[in-house]
Amino acid sequence: MVVVPAGTAILGAAPADPFRNPDETPARRYEIRAPFAVSRYEVTRDQYEVFVRATGRAIEGDCLTDRSSRGNWAYDAGTTFRDPGFPQRGDHPVACVSWNDAQAYVAWLNGQTDGGYRLLTEVEWEYVARASALQNFVYPWGDDPAGGCLVANGFDQTTMAAYAGMDKSGYKVFDPLSCTDGWLNTAPVGSLAANKFGVYDIIGNVAEWIEDCYSASHEALPDSGLPATLQGTCSRRIAKGGSWGTLAHNLRTAERVPYPATHRDDSIGIRVAKTLRRP
């Protein structure tokens, strides 16, 4: 875990962001009033395997994958975190886990330790991604996606070579990273450079579930920055950060993708946070 200092957080896309979506607005600032901890790496397959074996949790499939036809993603009953449709080692980030799976992992982790573990809030996630920088750049590293391959495993030229024959007609924007990160699918955690907080893979590799319920704009978020309390059942949760299969404009810091809490995807995993006890 890495201790993240208190500071000012920016949430949302800047007006100058050419790819900003309505649900990424308005851009707001929040005060992170107390330090908290965040996992240096995404949760690995080996770490998640320990949880599954310890709890006897069922290994469920129906994970979104393109294993049958490259570039055409579909739910597959036999695709699970143990077999996400591409080769992985134990030090790769776990994928094909739902928001519900992530919450179960956190609950188990709290039972094995002194507690305080949880998922990041959206405000915290963007604060960690920006490493507290107050310039609202499009990407954590600036406004040019070409600098991304030093820190982010995304849809780069390595991936483009493998996916050259895929049907691109359904994409409004098809913009692979112009650089090369060297990985086709997931990479071992920490393979690329860390950000200024010492956190790896906050963008790319796998997207990460966060705590918040999805809402159509940032107006619903209270001034505290804590997840909004919405009436009724939360129908969709949020994944952030993009993955190995994510195009450049979707690797933006403000990007937020809503899914049902039961959704499993070969591109979504887990990063944990921890509330620090005050002395």
Side-chain angles (χ1 to χ4, degrees), residues 91-107:
D91 59 352
H92 283 232
V94 69
C96 289
V97 287
S98 68
W99 186 88
N100 289 338
D101 293 331
Q103 290 290 355
Y105 177 80
V106 167

Side-chain angles (χ1 to χ4, degrees), residues 74-94:
Y75 290 99
D76 181 77
T79 300
T80 70
F81 87 89
R82 285 180 176 164
D83 180 14
F86 47 82
Q88 281 191 317
R89 300 194 318 235
D91 59 352
H92 283 232
V94 69

Side-chain angles (χ1 to χ4, degrees), residues 7 11 38 40 60 87 110 119-120 124 128 135 173 216 227 233 239 251:
L11 176 71
V38 63
R40 188 182 300 273
E60 298 184 59
N110 283 325
L119 300 181
L120 289 161
E124 290 172 335
V128 172
Q135 299 95 331
V173 178
T233 302
L251 292 171

Side-chain angles (χ1 to χ4, degrees), residues 175-197:
D175 59 343
L177 292 166
S178 60
C179 51
T180 300
D181 60 52
W183 301 93
L184 173 55
N185 302 115
T186 56
V189 298
S191 294
L192 301 175
N195 72 7
K196 291 181 180 179
F197 279 160

Side-chain angles (χ1 to χ4, degrees), residues 13-34:
D17 185 338
F19 296 108
R20 72 174 182 156
N21 297 305
D23 67 350
E24 299 164 4
T25 63
R28 300 179 64 180
R29 291 195 178 199
Y30 293 91
E31 291 303 315
I32 305 293
R33 301 190 181 279

